[in-house]
Amino acid sequence: ACRIIPIADYNKAIEIDSNYADAYYNRGNIRGLSGDKQRGITDLQKAAQLYQKQGSQAEAQKAFNLITKVKSL
């Protein structure tokens, strides 16, 4: 079963580790798809930047693709 993680949990994870790309990605996904487009895009851009810095180009591309999707909503 899929567990829904509240944004507050991602906020806390980012507070603990500001380089936690997955937390930015997931929070950006929730924000972007629930109508908070600008903050969602900001989170996804941060995730993409961190993924690139960490050498994970595939994950960065996933974030860029989601940015495009959120912008089109």
Side-chain angles (χ1 to χ4, degrees), residues 8-68:
D9 288 357
Y10 293 121
N11 293 344
K12 188 66 175 170
I14 290 165
E15 192 180 303
I16 293 167
D17 179 2
S18 62
N19 291 313
Y20 191 8
D22 288 344
Y24 282 102
Y25 178 89
N26 291 325
R27 186 176 73 177
N29 187 20
I30 292 167
R31 284 177 166 173
L33 299 180
S34 66
D36 191 358
K37 282 171 67 165
Q38 194 49 55
R39 291 198 318 166
I41 289 166
T42 299
D43 278 348
L44 292 166
Q45 288 170 333
K46 178 71 173 177
Q49 175 191 10
L50 289 170
Y51 286 135
Q52 286 179 318
K53 203 166 112 180
Q54 296 162 5
S56 183
Q57 193 54 46
E59 294 299 313
Q61 189 57 55
K62 209 168 87 172
F64 287 128
N65 292 345
L66 191 52
I67 290 167
T68 303

